[in-house]
Amino acid sequence: MSTQLLVAAAACVAAGVAGGRSWPSHALAWSAACVVALAAGAAAWRAGRIDESRRWTHGAGVVSVLLAAAASGAADAAWRSAAAREGVLPVLARAERVVEVCGVVTGRRPRSLDMSARSVADGADRWAIREPVLVSEAAARPGHKLCARGSLVSPRRGRSGPPLLAADDSRVTGVGAPIRFAAGAVRARFSAAAQDVLPRRQAGLLLGMTDGDIELLDDRTLEDFRTTGLAHLVAVSGSNVAVVLVVVMLVVRRIVPRRRVLRALLAVPPLVFFAFLTALEASVLRAVVTAGVVLAVTSSGRIADGLRAAAVAFIVLVLASPDLMSHPGFQLSFGATVGLILWARPLTDRVLALVPEGRRGGFAQAAAVAVA
């Protein structure tokens, strides 16, 4: 193992431990998974073009990373579940106390907000905490600091999850997560603009196909998408980034026909905007960072390698946000991407050998891509 890999692995372990300070159960599993990922990425970087023997070695490395990530997520979930039963908020919820909870909004649901509570007050008593809670009827965006007062109740019988604060009064006290807030603001402005200039149905289609927001689509339209097998068009994924990148590059090449570095620099802002538009969805982050790596490589006149770009994107993202490792969308996005890179072409060749000549083309490629 090279000196560079040892240094990177040490940095990865440090980031894993730092990222696990609030949820220490998955720090060790995350660090181990990150080291395996770095080893696989370094091997891919050094190997260059992947031959048949290396293909399965890299595949085994990717599977190891995903299994370690799944174990990390399971340990994290188990630890949170055990801690939640005796947390401050669940105890108060079982007594249905009227409390004031302050924290940072982390997400939005159709009828409530997800919030990471930092303090709770019950009369004269106040506790500093770090627990999840749902808040209803509050006008706030992800990233806002929010204080809300109301009755705290447990989840309905048979359901798991954080307690719900039925807010009678709430107030925004500032911004607690600037990047998340900026992403929420971009999303809200785009949604408002779409609804201002388009009829409801068309605005719903635009928002669904760009940022995955399907609130404006009626049940019949959604059912039509499912029946025709097109439901993926109104779900955010890395493929949306590919479409955006193709359009952007077509425009940029007309504006700047020769300077590759300038073309790459002009292509980055629309990709970043799209990541913010989708509220920094894990699969979109993966695709945007991977695209950024590819643009950087091709702007220098070199040929980009898909596995190398994916490995670099993986390392950058997990070092920046260790909690992504336990996010299923992050795991599945990288797993699917690497599966396509490693196995789509050899599987296509295998299928071509089995299918009659007249039916080879589209069927062989579709089957191989799906399996990979």
Side-chain angles (χ1 to χ4, degrees), residues 69-340:
S72 166
D76 185 33
W79 191 91
R80 291 181 190 227
S81 178
R85 286 194 293 270
E86 299 304 324
V88 174
L89 294 181
V91 171
L92 294 173
R94 286 195 287 271
E96 298 188 358
R97 302 299 298 260
V98 175
V99 298
E100 182 180 65
V101 179
C102 296
V104 178
V105 179
T106 58
R108 175 176 286 280
R109 303 191 186 195
R111 296 182 180 84
S112 62
L113 298 173
D114 287 294
M115 188 167 79
S116 176
R118 304 297 169 85
S119 68
V120 57
D122 179 18
D125 297 321
R126 179 175 289 273
W127 297 270
I129 60 173
R130 196 179 184 90
E131 298 176 19
V133 65
L134 296 179
V135 181
S136 67
E137 305 300 329
R141 294 177 183 169
H144 267 144
K145 288 181 179 178
L146 180 71
C147 286
R149 182 175 180 80
S151 298
L152 193 64
V153 296
S154 301
R156 283 184 285 180
R157 185 179 296 275
R159 293 192 176 186
S160 60
L164 171 69
L165 181 70
D168 298 321
D169 179 48
S170 64
R171 65 187 187 279
V172 173
T173 60
V175 175
I179 294 179
R180 192 184 293 273
F181 175 76
V186 169
R187 188 181 176 101
R189 290 285 296 273
F190 183 80
S191 177
Q195 294 179 60
D196 284 345
V197 300
L198 292 173
R200 180 183 175 88
R201 188 162 182 267
Q202 283 83 345
L205 285 171
L206 175 64
L207 295 175
M209 296 176 74
T210 50
D211 64 12
D213 183 359
I214 59 174
E215 288 188 11
L216 297 180
L217 292 178
D218 56 72
D219 293 339
R220 181 177 176 181
T221 301
L222 290 173
E223 187 59 33
D224 288 343
F225 272 96
R226 295 189 190 100
T227 303
T228 54
L230 298 175
H232 61 280
L233 294 179
V234 289
V236 175
S237 70
S239 60
N240 299 57
V241 177
V243 174
V244 171
L245 183 59
V246 167
V247 174
V248 168
M249 290 308 296
L250 286 174
V251 174
V252 168
R253 282 177 180 171
R254 284 188 170 275
I255 299 173
V256 186
R258 293 184 180 178
R259 297 184 180 180
R260 286 179 296 200
V261 174
L262 184 56
R263 284 206 303 257
L265 291 175
L266 290 175
V268 168
L271 293 179
V272 174
F273 171 78
F274 186 72
F276 274 69
L277 185 61
T278 60
L280 306 177
E281 179 70 27
S283 59
V284 173
L285 282 177
R286 187 272 310 162
V288 167
V289 176
T290 303
V293 174
V294 170
L295 288 171
V297 173
T298 54
S299 67
S300 66
R302 299 166 61 191
I303 298 175
D305 178 83
L307 188 59
R308 293 180 183 186
V312 172
F314 181 92
I315 293 168
V316 168
L317 287 171
V318 292
L319 285 175
S321 179
D323 284 342
L324 280 173
M325 272 296 293
S326 58
H327 193 297
F330 183 81
Q331 299 168 21
L332 293 171
S333 181
F334 268 102
T337 300
V338 176
L340 290 171

